[in-house]
């Protein structure tokens, strides 16, 4: 039998953990492993809110893929996947090439969920990747730069749609960024408006109330306005329209209202629920024993729960690690083990010095939570590139 071909799509949390695990588990003659991703670098999605606000350079949120994999064991192809053809057992790439696979690991992440809200895709910014956050930061700075000549308040108004973790973390960074940005463009800090709009009656729906209260109090003390129970109904070139007819004029609208699975997975003829694939206990796509779905494109349910686990880097990382062990076992004709997610907690930053978090039953807030968040960031660097990457890229 010829050497099986494993093709991994996406160099995100799930894809990279799969590649690193497989390169470790399998001998070179046991499988040909190819990792395909559309950028030459892995972007640390969990840090994207920082370059999006301009509190750190985007280079702090990316790492060249080839620096963290063993290129003798894993072939890296930088290309965009345009179609997954399960009937041909192949993926089509933007360059026109086709990659055949025996086993496919899909880790191409998510896309913004816009719920069909008019104008969002055209007029809002998204915190999704390096390209997007670079444009967002430049746009915000340019709008601030124009303020002294045009004197329009909407130039220094920022609307963030959605008070989930992405929205809150981004607003936390904006609060850190504003004093220096305002100094740079001679704008009185108190003139800037940061409005975080949420459809649900509370910030961070479903999260611990004490921690939510702490976050809201802290962010409000820094001038953030929260509008709750107020869904955004439309986004225009001028700003946003809210339920009830109120308009907020804003040059910068950032949508953090949720994520859905990557469309390409649906288009592959794989069954999805709101764009995500309900995988089995071995992370197989339904009906395919050679296609595995990881990370934000997958849906995993707790044994006794009706609601799926939220899509997180923590989940994608654990799935990638489990996949590598299971796929190696499968190739060797051994039993695979059911994947069990271990929720280790949730910590969200509120700028560089404040955070909130729940780790086990412990509630963390303020400096201790912020310290924990930095440790979690370092752990990812350690998993990717060991202590040397932590030293090169880690930031306290
Ligand atoms: P991703 O990490 O999104 O990776 C997808 C990869 O696929 C990328 O490399 C991309 O370039 C590639 N790709 C996409 N399309 C194609 C294509 N067509 N062809 C080729 N390659 C493609 N989760 C946490 O657990 N903790 C946190 O603190 C946290 N913070 C977050 C902060 C922010 C601002 C955001 C936006 C999210 C955060 N999350 C956090 C969620 C977390 O980032 C995601 O759940 C996680 O990135 C999902 O990993 P993934 O491997 O599925 O996809
Ligand atoms: P989310 O789905 O968690 O939050 C989106 C928010 O937008 C919700 O509160 C929702 O009610 C609100 N919303 C939806 N439609 C709206 C509308 N029309 N108008 C106003 N508000 C609206 O999405 P997210 O924050 O991008 O997070 C995505 C995933 O990433 C989640 O699983 C989250 O746990 C994870 N994440 C984790 C962290 C962390 O652990 N520190 C940070 C960021 C993201």
């Amino acid at each position: 039998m010829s050497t099986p071909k494993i093709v991994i799509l996406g160099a995100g949390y799930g894809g990279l953990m799969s590649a690193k695990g497989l390169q470790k588990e399998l001998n070179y003659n046991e499988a040909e492993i190819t990792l395909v991703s559309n950028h030459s670098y892995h972007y640390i999605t969990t840090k994207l809110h920082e370059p999006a606000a301009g509190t750190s350079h985007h280079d702090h949120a990316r790492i060249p893929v080839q620096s963290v994999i063993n290129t003798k064991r894993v072939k890296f192809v930088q290309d965009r996947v345009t179609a997954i053809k399960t009937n041909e057992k192949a993926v089509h790439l933007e360059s026109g090439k086709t990659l055949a696979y025996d086993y496919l690991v899909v880790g191409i992440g998510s896309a913004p969920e816009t719920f069909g809200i008019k104008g969002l895709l055209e007029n809002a910014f998204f915190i999704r990747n390096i390209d997007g956050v670079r444009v967002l930061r430049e746009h915000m700075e340019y709008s601030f730069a124009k303020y002294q000549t045009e004197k329009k308040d909407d130039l220094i108004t920022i609307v963030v749609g959605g008070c989930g973790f992405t929205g809150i973390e981004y607003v936390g960074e904006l609060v850190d960024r504003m004093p220096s940005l305002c100094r740079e463009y001679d704008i009185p800090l108190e003139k800037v408006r940061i409005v975080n709009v949420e459809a649900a009656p509370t910030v961070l729906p479903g999260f611990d109330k004490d921690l939510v209260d702490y976050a809201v109090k802290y962010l409000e003390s820094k001038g953030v306005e929260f509008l709750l129970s107020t869904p955004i109904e439309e986004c225009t070139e001028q700003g946003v329209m809210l339920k009830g007819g109120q308009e907020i004029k804003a040059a910068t609208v950032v949508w953090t209202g949720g994520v859905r699975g990557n469309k390409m997975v649906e288009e592959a003829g794989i069954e999805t629920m709101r764009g995500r694939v309900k995988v089995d206990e071995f992370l197989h796509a339904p009906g395919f024993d050679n296609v595995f779905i990881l990370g934000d494109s997958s849906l995993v349910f707790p044994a006794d729960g009706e609601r799926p686990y939220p899509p997180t880097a923590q989940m994608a990382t654990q799935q990638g690690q489990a996949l590598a062990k299971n796929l190696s076992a499968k190739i060797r004709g051994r039993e695979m083990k059911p994947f069990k997610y271990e929720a280790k907690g949730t910590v969200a930053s509120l700028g560089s010095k404040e955070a909130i978090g729940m780790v086990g039953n412990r509630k963390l807030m303020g400096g201790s939570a912020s310290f924990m968040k930095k440790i979690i960031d370092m752990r990812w660097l350690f998993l990717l590139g060991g202590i040397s990457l932590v030293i090169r890229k880690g930031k306290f």
Side-chain angles (χ1 to χ4, degrees):
M1 208 183 115
S2 63
T3 315
K5 291 185 175 64
I6 303 173
V7 174
I8 303 166
L9 308 183
Y13 292 80
L16 271 184
M17 277 302 101
S18 304
K20 286 188 73 77
L22 285 164
Q23 75 185 21
K24 188 169 153 220
E25 296 281 335
L26 290 172
N27 296 320
Y28 78 98
N29 55 354
E30 285 183 295
E32 271 178 37
I33 310 167
T34 305
L35 171 65
V36 189
S37 207
N38 54 348
H39 297 102
S40 60
Y41 51 83
H42 159 73
Y43 47 86
I44 308 174
T45 320
T46 60
K47 288 178 82 68
L48 282 180
H49 50 294
E50 298 175 11
T55 48
S56 75
H57 192 272
H58 52 262
D59 281 344
H60 291 298
R62 64 175 170 179
I63 297 161
V65 173
Q66 305 207 53
S67 71
V68 293
I69 56 169
N70 176 353
T71 50
K72 292 197 180 95
R73 289 292 298 112
V74 177
K75 183 178 169 199
F76 177 62
V77 175
Q78 188 196 336
D79 211 331
R80 182 182 297 277
V81 180
T82 52
I84 299 168
K85 299 283 180 189
T86 47
N87 52 345
E88 296 170 20
K89 288 216 233 166
V91 290
H92 293 195
L93 305 178
E94 196 171 55
S95 62
K97 291 186 186 134
T98 296
L99 278 178
Y101 66 80
D102 295 298
Y103 299 102
L104 183 67
V105 181
V106 183
I108 49 179
S110 58
E113 174 63 276
T114 59
F115 305 104
I117 295 170
K118 201 168 148 200
L120 266 184
L121 284 174
E122 297 80 1
N123 300 309
F125 293 88
F126 301 90
I127 302 177
R128 304 289 330 145
N129 52 40
I130 296 282
D131 297 335
V133 300
R134 247 185 329 220
V135 175
L136 162 56
R137 193 204 66 226
E138 292 273 342
H139 169 86
M140 178 181 75
E141 290 178 0
Y142 183 57
S143 302
F144 274 59
K146 283 198 290 193
Y147 180 73
Q148 284 302 345
T149 48
E150 299 187 13
K151 289 279 190 301
K152 287 191 198 143
D153 288 345
D154 53 321
L155 289 168
I156 52 170
T157 300
I158 302 164
V159 168
V160 181
C163 297
F165 284 112
T166 305
I168 290 298
E169 288 200 319
Y170 175 56
V171 163
E173 292 303 314
L174 284 177
V175 154
D176 274 9
R177 180 75 211 282
M178 283 308 134
S180 63
L181 193 62
C182 287
R183 255 195 317 276
E184 195 173 345
Y185 295 110
D186 306 320
I187 297 166
L189 184 59
E190 62 282 2
K191 279 199 160 286
V192 172
R193 279 186 82 194
I194 301 171
V195 189
N196 201 174
V197 184
E198 169 58 50
T202 165
V203 164
L204 297 174
F207 201 52
D208 180 87
K209 189 175 174 310
D210 294 341
L211 297 173
V212 171
D213 288 348
Y214 182 89
V216 169
K217 209 164 151 203
Y218 169 72
L219 293 170
E220 282 183 339
S221 77
K222 298 287 175 183
V224 174
E225 299 166 46
F226 287 101
L227 279 183
L228 305 180
S229 303
T230 314
I232 290 178
E233 289 196 332
E234 188 180 345
C235 181
T236 65
E237 278 181 30
Q238 284 71 45
V240 290
M241 301 297 301
L242 308 176
K243 191 173 178 185
Q246 189 193 344
E247 180 181 15
I248 306 177
K249 286 196 189 303
T252 308
V253 176
V254 184
W255 178 248
T256 62
V259 297
R260 70 185 320 283
N262 192 310
K263 260 214 157 64
M264 206 173 306
V265 180
E266 277 171 283
E267 289 163 0
I270 296 170
E271 193 185 315
T272 58
M273 288 167 70
R274 288 191 51 221
R276 297 168 68 200
V277 180
K278 186 178 173 190
V279 289
D280 73 7
E281 57 190 343
F282 306 115
L283 309 176
H284 288 124
F288 296 93
D289 64 0
N290 64 339
V291 179
F292 301 86
I293 315 277
L294 311 180
D296 283 2
S297 285
S298 72
L299 268 184
V300 177
F301 287 79
D304 53 354
E306 283 173 14
R307 285 174 66 86
Y309 289 111
T312 60
Q314 200 184 146
M315 167 65 82
T317 303
Q318 291 184 29
Q319 287 177 320
Q321 290 167 330
L323 176 284
K325 288 204 161 58
N326 271 342
L327 188 48
S328 307
K330 188 169 180 134
I331 284 172
R332 290 174 177 155
R334 296 188 191 144
E335 291 269 295
M336 296 197 289
K337 289 195 181 132
F339 168 70
K340 281 208 180 63
Y341 174 62
E342 254 181 70
K344 294 192 183 348
T346 300
V347 185
S349 63
L350 306 168
S352 70
K353 296 199 171 61
E354 288 279 337
I356 49 169
M358 182 68 106
V359 178
N361 290 327
R362 278 190 62 204
K363 294 179 193 182
L364 300 175
M365 36 193 129
S368 59
S370 180
F371 182 75
M372 179 59 85
K373 177 81 173 117
K374 286 168 183 132
I375 297 284
I376 295 167
D377 290 344
M378 302 253 187
R379 179 174 180 267
W380 175 240
L381 294 176
F382 182 76
L383 287 175
L384 275 188
I387 196 72
S388 70
L389 188 63
V390 176
I391 291 166
R392 269 188 292 131
K393 284 271 183 185
K395 207 171 71 156
F396 259 107

